[in-house]
Structures are given as structure tokens and as C-alpha cells.
Amino acid sequence: TCRILYATQTGTSRRLSQQLMTYLSQEFNEDITHKNITITLNAINEYDAEERLVSDAKNNTTLIIIMSTYSSGSSAPDGQWFCKWLQDFANDFRVDKSSLKGLSFAIFGVGDKAYGEDFCLVSKDMDRWLKQLEAIPVVSTQLSDVSDSVGFDKQFKEWMNGLSTNLSNNSVISSEIDSQEDMEEEDQLNESANKIVDIEDIVTKKSKLESNGVVKDMITPELRRELTKQGYKLIGSHSGVKLCRWTKSMLRGRGGCYKHSFYGIESHRCMETTPSLACANKCVWKDVLFRRQSNGSQTNGQSKTCRILYATQTGTSRRLSQQLMTYLSQEFNEDITHKNITITLNAINEYDAEERLVSDAKNNTTLIIIMSTYSSGSSAPDGQWFCKWLQDFANDFRVDKSSLKGLSFAIFGVGDKAYGEDFCLVSKDMDRWLKQLEAIPVVSTQLSDVSDSVGFDKQFKEWMNGLSTNLSNNSVISSEIDSQEDMEEEDPLNESANKIVDIEDIVTKKSKLESNSVVKDMITPELRRELTKQGYKLIGSHSGVKLCRWTKSMLRGRGGCYKHSFYGIESHRCMETTPSLACANKCVFCWRHQTNPVGTEWKWSLDNPELVFSGALSNHYKMINEFKGVPGVVAERLKEAMEVKHCALSLVGEPIMYPHINSFVRMLHNKSISTFLVTNAQFPDAIKQLDPVTQLYVSVDASSKQSLKRIDRPLFRDFWERFTGSLTALSDKGQRTVYRLTLVKSYNVEELEGYAYLVGLGNPDFIEIKGVTYCGTSKDSHITMANIPFHEEVVNFSVDLLKHLNSGCESDSKARYGMACEHKHSNCVLIANTKFLVDNRWHTWIDYNAFARLMQEYYRSDGTKTFSSLDYIEETPDWALWGSQERGFDPNDTRFYRKAKE
């Protein structure tokens, strides 16, 4: 467990903690998926150190603390109890000084160097107290100066990267030292980590000399840009002048400031200036160096309201909304302080448009919407009621078309260009509906492609900056049009804002030409970095291989996967690979959380099958070689693993999309390597053209059009026709065919009749029924543990499905299907066609030598000499059968239980 705790006064530490949570969740995505790591985020006052800290130490927890400094070097108020308790605990002579042995920690101190000796004092103290109790730092405690915004952000990223690196190197995750060599390496890490690093200690020697020998300007280049943007006219290196809003007011005959009333000054003849932008205080009620004038932002004495609403499916829009909330709160800090602006953040389903939207328009509210796109271009589920109501309201002839006059809005659409015409469709519609009712856009509605992660983040920041600039220039805050002159000045803004801007419309002409004339690689540099980090070995421009956890398990004698139990494969001799990382679906339970590319056709550069084949084998063998000397590895199995006998073409993506799939499969067969190919049933023609494979799978994730659309989120508009066409094509294959049903509670477990109908289309040899694997819920998936069926629930579903499949049979002896095998360890059950019940014994296993021989005869005859699934069967052992005491676990291996399950 990694616990992220923060103590904050102004929100900085909370923002950093959220950023760290997102970063670590991405970095350790696979570990979270396999429940190797749990990462939590809490305010420090929500963590009861007295009850939990010693227990956390015993459980080898990592405590990551983002600590803001308050007056006199103490913690921000919400962290003071924690710090007081820790100080007392560390200094109590009755307390065992190894009480926190096993706890690891990392501290990022947030302070301001202007406070001298008090700078980040609480972070230094916490570092000392934790070490007194034998807690071990994962990374050096970092003390960072928040007033140096550029250096501060840079140092946080470097500290965050260092923390991630040390965690990934198992300095914390693997709490046991396996050898003297490991102990020596850890000693070096701890020696380095025991030193507290000040932010200025890591600048270059040159910059240190410069800061000691050269007198700096008060106005830094960054500060100059910021103040100029805010309307300051800067003078020299430390002075400035700006036109007061009361000067403008009196010029228009609208009244002067209080000094006019109290002392008789003429406000329109008053100059507001300063010879020194610096101050010796940091008052809570104003930010001197980043001051924002309200410029008449109040309307009739009421504060301006900005509502941020988000609709999200995978968490992206929520994350962006939180980022926007933090950004605007900083940008309009003074306006918020003086209650000129109120900024709120809510999920869109928490906002009752029917009750509040017209009222908000009358109060000149700004509505800022971050809108995710779901299937068919509609809103994510939590925004569908809002959109339906708005659509009806805009199109109702009885509704006044100026009902939302006074409302201003900004929309950021989140979608995926792979969906073609449906890309961000709901955002375009909302823009149109709001304008129909005379709401005015503050900034152009932005449509952004989430699959282009680099461009996506950049575009969001640019949109966010544009929104902030327009708000600060009173295009919204000053909601009344005061004169024809003002109206003429505002019109160009609105004219510009009325145009919807697609993310690709703002790239340069050169990059457009390049994108049109150059075929891109499927694996972008960013995707390559991400997948490499996750343990993939990438091949060429579109393929990959990764070591399956069952391969590792069987190498250690801890049992194989369900294919070992059902079909007799040797899991330690199985290679899991794909010639195409791309897919035509974005399934809600995707174990890769939709990080792979998507597309409906091959649009990328193409590698030859020889490159893919040789790259897959060589990289697989390199990964196997890394298990030499690993404790528990069975030497004989390690030797056998260096000769691959099986290939699972199911790693990720859609392997059947690869144009040279038949050539690639033939290379595997020529090496006597069996092939288990999985397809998502969106390419029926490719299934028809596919040469025989050992076993051909089709994923059947739902039994109705509506459910399939909701679960698989396919890119094709005719996805249902393609789906049923793929199943029908399967029935024409002579070799072994399988339906793979992934059960997701609350999604697809109550559609038995529909599944029975689909079985009739494809007549598969086998039906695998498996409970969905939990892949975490943080960023990309709405699947929770509540959606994961227990094994007994999978068994019950299988028994009920079998009744539907055999409902038309006169007797058990005439049954088409039967319960053949189960693998409780994988939460999986196998239903088999009764043609594999030979002499009352199940023959679900495969004679791999016979298959290799049959394939060579097929190739030599140019495909004229065919064979059937019954030509390469083998009897299933008793321990793998349905109802056996072992429940599918090979008795030759030893079941491994994690500590938590013992």
C-alpha cells in the first residue's frame, strides 16, 4: 500500500497530491490491475496516525507526504495534529525506537524561502522524526520554494520521477532483501536518501555563482509576461503603473472611488503606480504580485458564479475539471477572496437544469462544461439527462428563444477521432442548443482527441488559458452591454467564439500536409514509452510480446492457466503476442484500459511477418532468460521454456487486423507452434479468409445489440451486423472454435436466451465462461469489485446457460453441449460440444503433434486437404474435469496463496 497524504493551506499541496496520484496510477497501472499495489489519497487530517501508523509499518506501507508550511515553519493547520503526535511519539523514551521499522516514506515540502530559517521547517522535522523510529526514505526529502513557480514545478516533477523509479525498482514494493547483493544495493540507496535536499542545492554551479555575484532584477521574465497580460505597464526592473477601474468609471461619469468621497480627489485624474512591486507581507486577502482587478465584476452587488460541470465515463473529464478548478481558483484568487466570483465544481448529474438553468441565466452565470463522448456520439451516461432536457428545451416551440440570454458558456469536448462522424458529437450539439437560446460562448467550443495524449493535454491547457483570459477581460464578468461602442467591441469576440474549433484545425499547414502524405507508425513514441514501462517488448511499428503471469507461475511449479486444464497446453512454453496492438472496440472491461490504438481498418505502416515472428520469439526468450536464478523456478521447466510450443494471439488489440496474419500464423505452424487466436467479432471477412489455426476464439461479450454497444463500445456503425456475421462465419470453420463469454455483473449476466440464440449462429465447439478480471477503477474504467462475479456465480450462470442450450433436446443422451471442465483459480468454466464426449470420456485436450502434421499436409496441398476438430483430440485428465476434487488445478503443481488469503 502507498498512502499519499497532504496538508494544505491554499490548495497547492492538494493539487500536487492529485497530480502525484494520477501519475503513480499510470506508472503502476499493471501492478494495480494485479492488486500488487494499492494507492490511496487523503488529506492528512483524515489519517489517524495513532491508530494506523504502527500497523502500516508492519504491513510495509509507503507513506508519501506533501507538506505545506504555515507560520513559524509549522504545518498547515490540517496537519498540525499529525505532526504533534509524531513528534511526541518519536521523542517518548517509552516508545521502541524501531516502532516504524518496515515503513518507508517520501516527503515533499512546500514553503517559501522568503521566510528564512522557517522555510519548510516542518518537513525537515518530519524527516528526522520518522528516521528516529527507523522508517526508511524511498527518495530524498525535497524542500521546494513555491515562489519560484518554474523551478517549483520542475522540482516536483523530478522528485515525482525519482519516487516512481525507486518504487519500481522494488526498494519498497519488495520489502524482503533476497541476497547480500540486494542488501548492499539498498544500503547505498538509503545512504543517499538520508540526505535532505534543498531545491537550490541542485542548480548548476554556474547559476549559483551568478546568483551570488549578480544583482537580480525584481521583475523576472515570467513575472513580466504575467503582469503584462494582466494590464500592467512595467517600468524598469521593479516598478509599474496600471489604470484603476475607478479612473475608467469616472471618465464615463459613473462615479469615483472612496477617496473622491472622503478627500475630494478627482478619480479620473489619479494615477495608480508603485516604485516597488515587492512587499514584506503575504496578506491572505490580496496577492500583491499577481493581483487581479475585479473591473466592475459585480452585478447589482451580487457575486459572479462560474459553474464547472463534467460528464465522464472513464474519469478523464473529472480529472480535467479538477485541474480547471485549481487553475481558475489560482487565477482569480483575489476576486474569490473579495467574493466577486464564486467557482463551483460538480458532476453534471448533480446539476438540475430544469430548476436552475434559466435562473442561472438571469444571474449572468458562466457554465463551463467538460463533456465526454460515449457511444454513437452521445454523452457519457451521467450527462444524458442534462443533454436530453437541453435538447427538448431548445427545440420546444413554446419556449422563449431568449430564455438563456445572460448565460455564458464554455465547452471542452472529449472524444476519440476513431469514431468518425460521432467524434464529440454531443459537444457540438450542446454548443448549438445553448446558442439557440441566446447563451453566449466565452471561448470557442473545443473538440479534442483523447487518443492523441500529447496534443490533447496541450489543447486543454490552451483552451483553459483562453477561457481564463476572456473571463479576466470581462467578456463574461461584465455581462451588461453598456453602449453601442461596447457592443461593437464585443461582437468580434462573439463572432470568433461562435465558431467550433476542432483540435486538428489549429495545427500548422505543414503538419497537415505531412499527416496526409506520410503513413504513421501505430506505436507512437509516447505509446512506446508507456508500453515499455508496463513490461511489453515492442516489435517494429505495431507488434508486441509480453510474458504472461501464468508462464511465470508454471515456471515456478505453481500451476498453469485455464488453457492448461482445458486443452493441455504447457503454460511455461506459451508465448503471448500480437501482430496488431490496434482494436476496433473500446470495451469497458479492457484490461489495458483502452490505452491501445483503435481503428476500423489498417491505416499504419506495415511490418513484414518475418520481422514480427523473429522479434516475438527473440524477445520472449530474453524474458524467459531473466528467470535464471530466480527463487522457486523449476530448472527443467526453464529449459523447456526455451522452446516455445504454443502461441496465444490474444495479448491486446485485434490480431486478425494484421494484413499478413496468414503468413505469420504459417511461420508459427512451421515451427510446430500451436496457435490460439482471439478476435472481437468485427471482421467477418477476415475470419472467412483466415487459414486454419489450432483454436479460433470469438469474444461474445453480450447477447443483444444494445448490450454489446454498451459493453464493447465498437467503432463500426454496423457493429451488430459484423458481430453476427463473424459468428456465422465461425460455423463454417472446420477446426476447433470457441465462444469466449466474459461475465460482468450488472452488464451481461441475465441474457441467457440471447446467448443461446448466438450459440445457434456459430455452433462453436466450446464455450468458455469467465468472470471479468478486476483492472482497477481509478482513471479509465468504471468496473468495480461489485461487477466481478464469484466463481460460484460463474458456475451457476454456466449451468443455467447449458439448460437453455439443450432445451430442445429430448433427453440427456441427445444433448448438444455438456459441462466439461472448470478452472476455479481463473474463475472459468468450459462447456463443450458433446461430439468431444467420446466413449463417455471428454476429449477437450489437443494432440499438438497431430495438429502440426495435419497443418503441414494442408500447406503442401495448398489448402485442399482439410481436416476437422475431431482429428486432433486427446483425452482430458480427471483432475481437469467438471466436478473433480481438484477443480482444474494440476496436482503436479503446488497452489500458491498470497499472505492475505492464507
Side-chain angles (χ1 to χ4, degrees), residues 594-608:
Q594 301 94 32
T595 55
N596 52 305
V598 290
T600 57
E601 61 182 358
W602 195 273
K603 56 186 178 182
W604 304 276
S605 54
L606 184 62
D607 298 330
N608 64 58

Side-chain angles (χ1 to χ4, degrees), residues 289-414:
L289 295 184
F290 288 90
R291 185 175 178 190
R292 277 198 179 272
Q293 303 294 343
S294 60
N295 289 334
S297 60
Q298 291 180 326
T299 304
N300 299 325
Q302 296 180 349
S303 68
K304 176 73 185 177
T305 300
C306 292
R307 301 192 191 282
I308 303 172
L309 305 177
Y310 64 86
T312 190
Q313 171 68 14
T314 63
T316 300
S317 292
R318 180 173 58 247
R319 172 179 62 82
L320 296 177
S321 299
Q322 291 167 341
Q323 187 178 335
L324 177 62
M325 177 72 174
T326 301
Y327 177 76
L328 292 182
S329 298
Q330 293 171 344
E331 290 291 292
F332 295 97
N333 179 50
E334 186 179 353
D335 289 303
I336 293 170
T337 301
H338 292 297
K339 301 183 181 178
N340 296 329
I341 298 181
T342 301
I343 305 175
T344 64
L345 171 64
N346 292 93
I348 201 166
N349 58 3
E350 298 171 349
Y351 178 83
D352 191 333
E354 191 167 17
E355 288 191 3
R356 302 173 69 177
L357 198 57
V358 173
S359 172
D360 275 348
K362 291 177 180 176
N363 292 324
N364 303 304
T365 298
T366 299
L367 214 59
I368 305 169
I369 303 173
I370 315 291
M371 177 58 66
S372 284
T373 315
Y374 196 50
S375 58
S376 301
S378 65
S379 162
D382 54 353
Q384 289 178 358
W385 183 88
F386 178 95
C387 294
K388 182 66 169 66
W389 181 88
L390 182 60
Q391 180 181 16
D392 292 345
F393 193 63
N395 296 324
D396 190 332
F397 69 93
R398 299 165 296 180
V399 171
D400 181 359
K401 294 310 173 189
S402 62
S403 294
L404 298 187
K405 188 173 184 178
L407 185 79
S408 50
F409 70 92
I411 299 173
F412 187 86
V414 178

Side-chain angles (χ1 to χ4, degrees), residues 575 577-579 647-651 655 661 664-665 668 675-678:
M575 173 176 69
T577 188
T578 181
C647 180
L649 291 160
S650 59
L651 177 61
I661 186 64
F664 178 66
V665 165
L668 292 166
T675 47
F676 292 75
L677 189 148
V678 180

Side-chain angles (χ1 to χ4, degrees), residues 786-805:
N787 301 114
I788 313 303
F790 291 103
H791 182 63
E792 295 311 316
E793 292 176 302
V794 174
V795 168
N796 292 338
F797 177 91
S798 304
V799 171
D800 289 342
L801 176 61
L802 186 64
K803 292 177 183 177
H804 280 78
L805 294 177

Side-chain angles (χ1 to χ4, degrees), residues 494-768:
N494 292 340
E495 184 180 348
S496 170
N498 282 331
K499 182 184 176 186
I500 296 179
V501 178
D502 193 309
I503 186 171
E504 291 196 349
D505 292 340
I506 61 173
V507 298
T508 64
K509 188 175 181 181
K510 178 182 176 183
S511 62
K512 279 191 175 182
L513 290 171
E514 288 175 350
S515 65
N516 289 332
S517 60
V518 177
V519 179
K520 296 179 180 178
D521 287 349
M522 182 185 295
I523 306 176
T524 63
E526 185 196 14
L527 184 59
R528 185 175 294 277
R529 286 193 299 271
E530 180 65 24
L531 294 178
T532 301
K533 196 189 308 174
Q534 293 175 24
Y536 285 81
K537 302 299 180 184
L538 300 175
I539 308 154
S541 65
H542 53 72
S543 309
V545 62
K546 191 178 183 185
L547 213 58
C548 174
R549 71 186 186 95
W550 291 108
T551 301
K552 303 172 189 177
S553 175
M554 204 160 188
L555 280 171
R556 291 178 168 183
R558 295 177 176 178
C561 68
Y562 73 90
K563 293 189 187 77
H564 173 61
S565 301
F566 295 176
Y567 314 119
I569 80 160
E570 300 169 279
S571 301
H572 62 296
R573 304 181 76 178
C574 181
M575 173 176 69
E576 190 172 28
T577 188
T578 181
S580 169
L581 289 160
C583 187
N585 290 344
K586 299 188 77 174
C587 305
V588 295
F589 54 79
C590 176
W591 70 289
R592 281 273 50 86
H593 290 321
Q594 301 94 32
T595 55
N596 52 305
V598 290
T600 57
E601 61 182 358
W602 195 273
K603 56 186 178 182
W604 304 276
S605 54
L606 184 62
D607 298 330
N608 64 58
E610 291 80 10
L611 172 69
V612 179
F613 176 73
S614 60
L617 280 178
S618 62
N619 280 292
H620 178 79
Y621 288 141
K622 285 177 185 176
M623 290 186 285
I624 293 292
N625 261 321
E626 292 172 1
F627 274 76
K628 288 181 178 177
V630 172
V633 168
V634 180
E636 183 181 356
R637 289 188 177 177
L638 183 64
K639 183 179 178 181
E640 290 173 343
M642 292 305 293
E643 183 184 358
V644 169
K645 297 301 292 180
H646 317 284
C647 180
L649 291 160
S650 59
L651 177 61
V652 70
E654 178 62 90
I656 210 167
M657 282 182 73
Y658 179 47
H660 299 313
I661 186 64
N662 280 333
S663 298
F664 178 66
V665 165
R666 182 167 186 166
M667 290 175 184
L668 292 166
H669 291 160
N670 287 342
K671 287 283 188 179
S672 297
I673 298 173
S674 65
T675 47
F676 292 75
L677 189 148
V678 180
T679 173
N680 288 320
Q682 288 296 292
F683 298 94
D685 290 338
I687 291 176
K688 294 173 184 176
Q689 295 163 10
L690 182 69
D691 283 346
V693 293
T694 311
Q695 194 153 281
L696 178 60
Y697 286 78
V698 168
S699 294
V700 180
D701 301 324
S703 65
S704 67
K705 183 176 182 178
Q706 185 177 4
S707 295
L708 190 71
K709 180 179 180 180
R710 186 164 64 109
I711 295 172
D712 281 3
R713 296 191 289 167
L715 270 61
F716 285 109
R717 284 181 174 271
D718 58 341
F719 66 92
W720 183 251
E721 291 73 19
R722 287 175 167 273
F723 178 70
T724 55
S726 295
L727 300 185
T728 303
L730 202 71
S731 65
D732 295 329
K733 308 299 282 187
Q735 294 71 44
R736 294 165 68 109
T737 57
V738 184
Y739 276 12
R740 173 182 284 179
L741 275 63
T742 302
L743 296 189
V744 188
K745 285 169 71 174
S746 302
Y747 278 83
N748 63 356
V749 296
E750 298 175 351
E751 305 174 341
L752 293 168
E753 291 183 4
Y755 282 120
Y757 166 75
L758 294 179
V759 169
L761 291 181
N763 297 308
D765 293 322
F766 304 98
I767 304 167
E768 292 177 2

Side-chain angles (χ1 to χ4, degrees), residues 115-126:
Y115 286 94
E117 294 179 358
D118 290 335
F119 171 62
C120 289
L121 183 60
V122 65
S123 299
K124 300 175 190 175
D125 289 340
M126 288 184 68

